[in-house]
Amino acid sequence: MLRIARPSQARSSQRSLLSFVTATCLLSASVIPAVAAPTAQATHATQASVATQASNTTQSAPVAYNRFIITYTDEAKNAASTDATADQIDWSAAAGTQQATWSDALYAGITSEVQSIDELLNIKTSYVRSTALDASVVTTSAELTPAQAQQYMDALSANSKVASVSPDMRRYATVDNTSETVKINDPKMNRMWSLTGEKGISALEAWGTTRGKGVTVAVLDSGITAHPDLDANVLPGYDFIAESAFSNDGNGRDSDPTDAGNWTVDNQCFTGSKATASDWHGTHVAGTIAAIANNNEGIAGVAPEAKIVPVRVLGACGGFDSDITDGIIWAAGGSVRGVPANQNPAQVINMSIGSEGTCTTPYRQAIAQANKRGSIVVVAAGNNNFDASKSSPGNCEDVINVGATDKNGKRSYFSNYGSRVDVSAPGGDRRYWGGGILSTLNAGKTAPGKADYAEYQGTSMAAPHVAGIVALMKSVDPKLTYAQAKKALQSTSQGVECDQSACGSGIVNAARAVQQVRSDREAVDAAAAEVARKKAEEEAARKKAEEEAARKKAEEAARKKAEEDAKRQQAPAPKVTPAPKVTPAPKARTRPSRPVTRPSYPSRPRHGHTPRYRSWYGGASANTYPSSTYPNNGYLNNGYLGFATGNHR
């Protein structure tokens, strides 16, 4: 399926592969703004701020604006279409001598805002015309600075009928003229029509913006051979061919992705198959993507500063889906049992691989994982000259499927076609002199020999052109998704001499695609910055409100305190009522804890004592009380009359 430049490398048409190799390419065109412009988007409740950019032209135009486009809400347009007709509108003041239409009535609804901003900026706004979108084109009598333009657009956007206001800028169907003049000293660049020719991809024009630095491209193919025009851009890869019978390197899976050659012997692939030489297909594909530029060696790739991760999945007789799908997952940074993790996950995966069939579940799952991890998968549409929907994995969803074009911008005669082709890229046609795709190769017939160059043709050659462009786009916007990449490629592609059903959206254009991605990225960044600005303003306003509320609260508290203090100073001193005198409670007496000592009496009765005392003297001691304990001592029973003071008061 590959057409080889050197007759010595021509191979038998009878060769059949489990998976055949094809390649295709995609690029899209874009227009470049002459000057950077502020933009304003407004809804009933929201206005976007101006986002200014630097000039993209060689001679930068002054950053000033005097033409604007005003769009209106659906509600406003519906009302105008119902209530107004050309015969009913007097536009002599605003439209001058132009005949007004019903859509021009929309402008009448914002004249008060126009007059107000005109007076503020000391200008006069003149109505120019309406557009097919029922928008109004206006011009100002003087050029406005970016700040004034923002003020102008904000004022007009304040009207609830206005959906958006933006500058009416000049745009040119050219690439970025500020790009540096690219000089290439690689001696074979004169044969690189796919990069530089009229029907090529305009790669050199994109190099003034980016050359793919920081992006890794995984090449799922036959592996890679040493080459001075490629080695510096090659990172560690892996050999996913599990069966040694087809690996030609004597073993199964290992960490050496070197292409041992995919040569075969008679009957190796199937009964009746013929012997074939090695084609070094993976080296050719890798060179188209990232051959080194300006090294006085051979050629240059589409993204000469990108890095290649070689993933060997094709050996003798092709490659198995089981190996290929594992390779997809690993290349994107996923985990494969028994295989060390990929230290350089790929942002782009190129698969110049295919055969007739449907997209199987393993392919769908592997591709889904790759996309989830941020890898964009580019696939060759196939070389069978039939509907591309019949060739897998190009017919899988969520891949960029690439068809091939020749030096004249026509579909290559072998390229698959149909609605499943997303874009096209140079794949060559060796029927014409110099019509193939020149890239890095190896001179060995079976095992690797010396480094070499050769022309091939096929959708296998087209796909790496697109993969290289996606690498350039990823370098500009690392967050670029599959959907965004596909949209940018298709929207910037240039026409080919076949309809869209055959060639997709056209031939990809690297310069325009890169510019489109850069513009989209700047718009996203500007929108994010605006959101952040508004959030910061809201937060500042909230804090200011809180501080103001706290200040007012403190002032109110101070005012109340001052009023209370003043009232206290004016009021008479309160009469002091003396505290009532407290009489202490009488001190309670306690009984003695010791016995009361009896008074001493004379040893004999005194003169005058009555006989009643004689019984007291009884046999007791004359000077002490009875030994019985007080009070139950029998004093009373013995006639004691209470001489002791401790008993009664």
Side-chain angles (χ1 to χ4, degrees), residues 48-104:
S49 68
V50 169
T52 58
Q53 303 174 0
S55 171
N56 291 324
T57 60
T58 303
Q59 296 180 351
S60 299
V63 183
Y65 312 93
N66 67 342
R67 289 175 65 93
F68 298 87
I69 301 174
I70 306 168
T71 66
Y72 305 93
T73 64
D74 290 339
E75 292 83 355
K77 289 189 286 186
N78 291 336
S81 65
T82 302
D83 300 334
T85 67
D87 297 335
Q88 298 171 333
I89 302 171
D90 181 9
W91 270 93
S92 59
T97 60
Q98 282 191 284
Q99 180 65 43
T101 65
W102 72 264
S103 60
D104 296 329

Side-chain angles (χ1 to χ4, degrees), residues 202-227:
S202 301
L204 273 65
E205 287 85 343
W207 290 355
T209 300
T210 177
R211 299 188 182 188
K213 187 175 182 178
V215 179
T216 299
V217 182
V219 176
L220 272 67
D221 216 289
S222 63
I224 199 167
T225 58
H227 202 291

Side-chain angles (χ1 to χ4, degrees), residues 317-627:
C317 307
F320 291 102
D321 287 348
S322 55
D323 291 340
I324 296 170
T325 52
D326 277 358
I328 295 172
I329 294 172
W330 183 86
S335 177
V336 178
R337 187 179 293 107
V339 179
N342 180 9
Q343 300 301 317
N344 301 286
Q347 292 94 329
V348 188
I349 296 174
N350 184 89
M351 293 199 296
S352 293
I353 299 170
S355 63
E356 187 174 358
T358 61
C359 181
T360 64
T361 297
Y363 273 117
R364 288 195 295 268
Q365 294 176 342
I367 292 168
Q369 284 200 32
N371 283 328
K372 186 177 181 180
R373 294 179 179 275
S375 297
I376 299 173
V377 182
V378 180
V379 184
N383 297 343
N384 305 95
N385 191 29
F386 60 35
D387 195 303
S389 63
K390 300 178 182 179
S391 181
S392 182
N395 57 9
C396 294
E397 296 295 325
D398 300 330
V399 302
I400 298 174
N401 200 26
V402 185
T405 56
D406 61 21
K407 197 173 183 178
N408 299 314
K410 299 179 180 180
R411 181 178 71 89
S412 299
Y413 70 92
F414 52 78
S415 177
N416 290 347
Y417 53 83
S419 59
R420 191 58 196 87
V421 175
D422 295 317
V423 294
S424 294
D429 185 344
R430 288 286 296 150
R431 297 178 303 176
Y432 305 101
W433 176 256
I437 304 300
L438 182 67
S439 187
T440 51
L441 211 72
N442 192 277
K445 301 299 182 187
T446 54
K450 69 176 183 178
D452 202 355
Y453 299 87
E455 291 183 4
Y456 278 1
Q457 69 176 30
T459 53
S460 282
M461 286 59 258
H465 282 85
V466 175
I469 294 172
V470 176
L472 297 177
M473 297 159 67
K474 273 281 194 178
S475 180
V476 173
D477 182 7
K479 297 180 180 179
L480 187 73
T481 65
Y482 154 76
Q484 293 170 333
K486 180 179 177 179
K487 182 180 179 180
L489 288 169
Q490 291 183 320
S491 65
T492 60
S493 61
Q494 57 194 23
V496 295
E497 296 185 24
C498 62
D499 59 29
Q500 188 170 359
S501 65
C503 300
S505 62
I507 302 174
V508 292
N509 185 296
R512 296 171 182 174
V514 167
Q515 178 60 34
Q516 182 65 56
V517 171
R518 182 171 69 174
S519 298
D520 292 345
R521 181 73 263 163
E522 290 172 345
V524 170
D525 291 343
E530 177 63 13
V531 171
R533 183 189 66 79
K534 288 185 176 181
K535 186 177 180 180
E537 288 181 350
E538 293 172 355
E539 181 64 17
R542 183 188 64 80
K543 289 184 178 180
K544 185 177 180 180
E546 290 178 351
E547 292 173 354
E548 181 66 14
R551 183 187 64 80
K552 290 183 178 180
K553 185 177 180 180
E555 290 179 349
E556 180 65 16
R559 184 189 63 78
K560 289 183 178 180
K561 185 176 183 303
E563 291 178 353
E564 293 174 355
D565 292 343
K567 289 180 180 179
R568 285 195 295 269
Q569 292 176 359
Q570 294 174 1
K575 185 177 181 179
V576 180
T577 303
K581 186 175 182 180
V582 180
T583 303
K587 188 175 182 181
R589 295 183 178 181
T590 59
R591 295 177 179 177
S593 60
R594 58 183 178 84
V596 179
T597 306
R598 292 177 180 172
S600 84
Y601 290 94
S603 62
R604 61 183 179 273
R606 293 180 182 180
H607 178 78
H609 285 189
T610 63
R612 60 180 177 175
Y613 291 101
R614 293 176 182 167
S615 62
W616 181 82
Y617 289 105
S621 173
N623 299 317
T624 60
Y625 289 109
S627 59

